[in-house]
Amino acid sequence: MAKTAQKNNNQFIKYVKWFWILFISGISMIALIFLLASWGALGEMPTFERLENPQTNLATEFISSDGETLGKLYLDDNRTPIAFNDLPDHLVEALIATEDARFYEHAGIDARSTLRAFFFLGSKGGASTISQQLSRQLFVGVRSKNKLQAIKQKIKEWVLAIRLERQYTKEEIITWYFNIYDFGNNADGIRSASRIYFGKEPMQLKIEEAAMLVGMFKNSSLYNPRPHRNPVGTKNRRNVVLSQMAKYGYISSKEKDSLQNLEMNLNYNPESHREGLATYFRMYMQRWLNRWVEDHPKPNGEKYNIYLDGLKVYTTIDSRMQKNAEDAVEQHMARLQAEFFVQNTPERNPTTPFLELEPEEITSIMERAMKSSSRWRSMKAEGKNENEIRASFKEKTEMTVFDWNSDSFEKDTIMTPMDSIRYYKTFLRTAMMSMEPQTGHVKAWVGGVDYKHFQYDNVIQGARQAGSTFKPFVYAAAIDQLRLSPCDSLPDTQYCIEPLKHGNPEAWCPKNSDGKYSGKKRTLKNALANSVNTITAQLIDKVGPGSVVSIARNMGLTKEILEVPAIALGTPDMNVYEMVGAYGTFANQGVYVKPVMITSIEDKNGTVLYEYIPETKDVLSKDVAYAMVNLMEGVTQAGSGTRLRTQGYDKWRTEYREIVTGYPYQFTNPIAGKTGTTQNQSDGWFMGMVPNLVTGVWVGGEERATHFRTLKYGQGASMALPIWALYMKANYANEELGISQDEFEEPENLSINIDCTKILEEIKDDLDTEDDLDDLDF
């Protein structure tokens, strides 16, 4: 009996001995494996530096002056990281409840889950912690199908998870995890996913929305909520996440049941370079940044990558004003285009959309357009010969084209590429820019009617004849040099500048737009308000074209301006960008401020890389600038811009010949401005100013031969002014924008007379009727 007990005791000691030998050997083996993995024996491991700064592709973000994201630049990864404090609690809780319930209790490896997965071979759930999953996404990669390789990868995940837990806080790991994940549909990271799927920032996510996004971590390709993908499966997965949240006490069972019954209610907002707010502006910024990075390298000499380095570009654009501008363009241009189509049916105009062109001229336009098309260039690059390319332009093909009457402004059709070129040339184009004259900050920028289909930016790429919007520079030179006032008068009679004077080889005798001359005296204010060419001709004769060009140059106009008298009527080509900057000089008491679009640029760590320094120039005295503003107030009081103040209508016709409202604007606040219309109604302009906002609008066809037949619809007051009015109406409706309705600031001790009462008495005898007197009584 004693021998048996002794034998059992020896066996027990033997078992205990072997247990400890095996246990210590196992621990040693695990430690050795971990060491070998750390040393790279199981495959390359990230260096300490890379662990500190893992490389992830970050999109460049354009941020508006009111803190909204206008858009991003990226190649494959549309990722903009956010901080832990920007994540709502229920989003973090949903992740932990679903992916790693003991996240705050372990140091990278959850022993309980690992043993469970080992004994049940994963049938009762996996064992990957959030830290392990992050390690896999950052450094290990997709799990191999080879079992031995998969085991090596798993060991590397364990090692890296422990290193991450030592290196970073739990909050940093959670944040990193949300920022790194690809949610599909160009939604890289939680911020992009929140904006794309629900149209909001992560902090604004509701519990059920957060649960849906967390559910996508299982497999974003499979659990995609879009209607044509897997909305049912995604909703079921969302409900699993909600059940997990209830299981671990983050929400009650009653909340769970209520939330699981809700529909997903997506607000899908795809983010791409061709869609969203301020597309033309963002593409201009892209070109600007490409130039900027060439001259501003990183401290190590490398060039910043605007698609991968996560730059933050703080712009001057106000997202609310930008939305108002785009809405105004859409509302007016759809209506204007409908009228253009009515007037240019094949029956009414066999050469539509061109007017007054010979067949060979039309052929030349179409030939030029064909050879500059992307289709021609791509086929040329493929090595196709010219005959093959030309033949392809005559073959009908399926395509999606722009259409104002479709909900998405697109329609599917079948036509030849040559017909599509002609189709697109029927559409009127536009450009609009709005700027704060005191700072030069550009608040809104619309380069066309639709960037996806019309990528030419008419704000800054284009230049068209300025028409009568150039006349204020003539008047400014006359008031500045001759000390004239808005109340001084000149006769409205045919006026000729003799040959060889001011560089003209022949006599120059401009006509008024209506071909009539009253023979009476007109004040400068009346003459500018009504764009009287004979008065402008007299003024440029007195000061000389050189003086006008000099003032225009100092006000930021860089396009070619010939020093000839004809410039008085607006023959030079200008773009909206420079014209707005120039008019800002009048509103800013004679100081030119170069338009600015960017205030600063930061790298992904918040280090400031660039800050804008204003570029200014004193051009006019305060008195001259104020006199010019007073002159241009006459345009909206008793001139070509009076429809801003009166209740009236134009008979705009849609394709169904419906009559719609024209111009019920009825502004009562001080507004200075100038309309402009060029020869044959090819271009319509309106430059409008209030004390703290200057806005320019241009409307016209791509070709100058694409235009209205008459002034009724083809003048600046009909083509461009309504966009300004709709835009300003919307701005004034939002008092937070702070758009001024006050008087323009009058300089102290104003030396230029703007009170025309005495002048009117002096010239009253020259007037025949009360109507003539009313024309002068501003």
Side-chain angles (χ1 to χ4, degrees), residues 335 643-644 646-649 661-667 726 729:
R335 188 167 61 187
R643 66 177 64 190
L644 288 173
T646 57
Q647 175 78 32
Y649 301 92
T661 302
Y663 47 96
Y665 310 126
Q666 294 184 289
F667 291 98
L726 293 167
K729 274 286 188 183

Side-chain angles (χ1 to χ4, degrees), residues 470-479 536-537 539-540 543 548 567-569:
F470 192 83
K471 287 178 180 176
F473 306 120
V474 179
Y475 280 71
I479 292 175
T536 312
L539 292 177
I540 199 168
V543 299
V548 177
I567 63 173
L569 305 188

Side-chain angles (χ1 to χ4, degrees), residues 349-402:
N349 176 19
T351 60
T352 187
F354 313 111
L355 282 172
E356 300 156 358
L357 288 187
E358 297 298 324
E360 58 271 17
E361 293 176 296
I362 296 175
T363 300
S364 177
I365 289 174
M366 298 297 290
E367 177 81 3
R368 185 176 66 248
M370 178 178 65
K371 289 188 174 180
S372 61
S373 68
S374 58
R375 183 186 187 87
W376 181 282
R377 291 195 302 271
S378 61
M379 292 185 73
K380 199 78 171 175
E382 293 170 4
K384 305 284 187 181
N385 64 52
E386 187 166 316
N387 289 334
E388 288 179 295
I389 299 174
R390 288 184 179 277
S392 75
F393 274 83
K394 297 177 182 179
E395 296 174 1
K396 287 190 175 183
T397 182
E398 294 181 357
M399 60 180 70
T400 301
V401 297
F402 180 77

Side-chain angles (χ1 to χ4, degrees), residues 371-438:
K371 289 188 174 180
S372 61
S373 68
S374 58
R375 183 186 187 87
W376 181 282
R377 291 195 302 271
S378 61
M379 292 185 73
K380 199 78 171 175
E382 293 170 4
K384 305 284 187 181
N385 64 52
E386 187 166 316
N387 289 334
E388 288 179 295
I389 299 174
R390 288 184 179 277
S392 75
F393 274 83
K394 297 177 182 179
E395 296 174 1
K396 287 190 175 183
T397 182
E398 294 181 357
M399 60 180 70
T400 301
V401 297
F402 180 77
D403 178 36
W404 275 119
N405 296 316
S406 302
D407 291 339
S408 61
F409 300 133
E410 288 185 327
K411 68 177 180 181
D412 295 328
T413 188
I414 298 175
M415 64 173 72
T416 68
M418 209 63 182
D419 286 341
S420 74
I421 290 175
R422 194 168 189 130
Y423 172 77
Y424 274 106
K425 286 190 179 293
T426 65
F427 284 92
L428 298 171
R429 315 300 171 89
T430 190
M432 174 186 182
M433 191 180 101
S434 194
M435 183 191 81
E436 189 178 78
Q438 291 77 22

Side-chain angles (χ1 to χ4, degrees), residues 254-425:
K254 186 176 181 181
E255 283 180 296
K256 179 204 73 173
D257 294 339
S258 175
L259 293 172
Q260 285 181 335
N261 287 325
L262 294 176
E263 296 301 320
M264 288 191 293
N265 292 325
L266 289 185
N267 179 16
Y268 186 64
N269 296 277
E271 290 187 348
S272 76
H273 306 317
R274 295 188 176 190
E275 297 173 312
L277 200 63
T279 45
Y280 288 94
F281 175 79
R282 282 156 38 204
M283 291 304 100
Y284 170 75
M285 286 290 93
Q286 180 183 19
R287 297 191 297 271
W288 187 92
L289 282 172
N290 278 325
R291 296 191 300 270
W292 180 82
V293 296
E294 294 294 335
D295 301 323
H296 298 80
K298 297 178 182 179
N300 62 7
E302 293 181 3
K303 188 170 74 172
Y304 284 102
N305 190 313
I306 66 173
Y307 304 101
L308 305 176
D309 285 343
L311 302 178
K312 289 187 179 296
V313 181
Y314 292 91
T315 76
T316 61
I317 294 290
D318 186 296
S319 67
R320 300 160 296 182
M321 295 172 72
Q322 179 68 30
K323 179 69 164 55
N324 291 343
E326 294 184 12
D327 287 347
V329 165
E330 178 185 323
Q331 183 177 341
H332 175 66
M333 291 304 294
R335 188 167 61 187
L336 187 69
Q337 188 67 53
E339 177 60 35
F340 186 82
F341 283 147
V342 169
Q343 294 188 21
N344 284 275
T345 60
E347 294 77 23
R348 295 187 179 189
N349 176 19
T351 60
T352 187
F354 313 111
L355 282 172
E356 300 156 358
L357 288 187
E358 297 298 324
E360 58 271 17
E361 293 176 296
I362 296 175
T363 300
S364 177
I365 289 174
M366 298 297 290
E367 177 81 3
R368 185 176 66 248
M370 178 178 65
K371 289 188 174 180
S372 61
S373 68
S374 58
R375 183 186 187 87
W376 181 282
R377 291 195 302 271
S378 61
M379 292 185 73
K380 199 78 171 175
E382 293 170 4
K384 305 284 187 181
N385 64 52
E386 187 166 316
N387 289 334
E388 288 179 295
I389 299 174
R390 288 184 179 277
S392 75
F393 274 83
K394 297 177 182 179
E395 296 174 1
K396 287 190 175 183
T397 182
E398 294 181 357
M399 60 180 70
T400 301
V401 297
F402 180 77
D403 178 36
W404 275 119
N405 296 316
S406 302
D407 291 339
S408 61
F409 300 133
E410 288 185 327
K411 68 177 180 181
D412 295 328
T413 188
I414 298 175
M415 64 173 72
T416 68
M418 209 63 182
D419 286 341
S420 74
I421 290 175
R422 194 168 189 130
Y423 172 77
Y424 274 106
K425 286 190 179 293

Side-chain angles (χ1 to χ4, degrees), residues 435-441 473 476 480 551-557 578-596 612 614-629 689 691-692 694 745 747:
M435 183 191 81
E436 189 178 78
Q438 291 77 22
T439 62
H441 288 187
F473 306 120
D480 185 41
I551 278 186
R553 289 269 179 261
N554 285 328
M555 294 171 74
L557 301 183
E578 290 189 351
M579 287 291 280
V580 170
Y583 269 69
T585 308
F586 299 129
N588 192 35
Q589 299 186 321
V591 179
Y592 167 75
V593 182
K594 186 177 181 180
V596 54
Y612 174 74
E615 298 180 42
T616 66
K617 182 188 295 185
D618 291 335
V619 181
L620 303 171
S621 69
K622 290 183 179 180
D623 288 9
V624 171
Y626 184 75
M628 285 303 305
V629 167
M689 302 185 290
N692 65 350
V694 176
E745 183 179 354

